[in-house]
Amino acid sequence: MEAMNAPELLSVQGKWYLTAVEKNAIDGRNKVWEPIDPAKADTLIFRSDGVMLDTDGKPRCCAPGMLIINDQVMPVKPQVALPPNPLCVLVNCVNCPSWEIELSGPEMIVTPCNNQRLKYVR
């Protein structure tokens, strides 16, 4: 894996909407994408410096300190001060230093902390 520079991070900048979650198929061997009800879908917002925000513009709770986008490492280093998010004191975060992201045009597959894969679109 090689380090990314800031211009490469612009490819993920903006809003992304969760559309599906990868699940085991009935046969137990294959994986299938299970659609998410749009009313319950999560929204990811990335700033140009890699900081993830919630829909209110506050820092996302439990966000990783590093993104691995198409096998390139991008440390998340805020370029401007982040406003506090009071909701984060209510959340017990599990240590998750990085998220893996597969980016292909308007589609993004996110694997947070080796958990199930999530499909987002712009």
Side-chain angles (χ1 to χ4, degrees):
M1 285 185 234
E2 59 188 76
M4 291 181 84
N5 57 39
E8 292 171 308
L9 185 61
L10 294 177
S11 59
V12 297
Q13 181 181 0
K15 283 188 180 183
W16 295 87
Y17 304 96
L18 182 63
T19 60
V21 176
E22 190 176 58
K23 303 271 183 155
N24 285 326
I26 294 172
D27 66 12
R29 293 188 306 245
N30 297 310
K31 303 273 186 180
V32 296
W33 287 105
E34 184 175 294
I36 297 291
D37 176 357
K40 298 177 183 174
D42 183 31
T43 301
L44 281 181
I45 303 171
F46 287 93
R47 287 192 335 193
S48 62
D49 57 4
V51 170
M52 282 187 262
L53 305 174
D54 64 18
T55 54
D56 294 331
K58 293 185 179 83
R60 188 175 177 101
C61 300
C62 307
M66 182 184 330
L67 302 174
I68 303 170
I69 303 172
N70 294 341
D71 293 325
Q72 294 188 341
V73 176
M74 176 64 194
V76 176
K77 295 180 181 172
Q79 299 301 310
V80 294
L82 298 172
N85 186 339
L87 295 177
C88 293
V89 298
L90 305 173
V91 179
N92 185 9
C93 296
V94 174
N95 183 22
C96 179
S98 65
W99 283 14
E100 289 190 40
I101 296 175
E102 298 168 44
L103 188 62
S104 178
E107 186 176 277
M108 178 173 71
I109 308 294
V110 177
T111 309
C113 301
N114 295 321
N115 287 329
Q116 68 187 156
R117 293 165 18 116
L118 308 168
K119 184 184 293 186
Y120 288 83
V121 297
R122 288 205 185 265

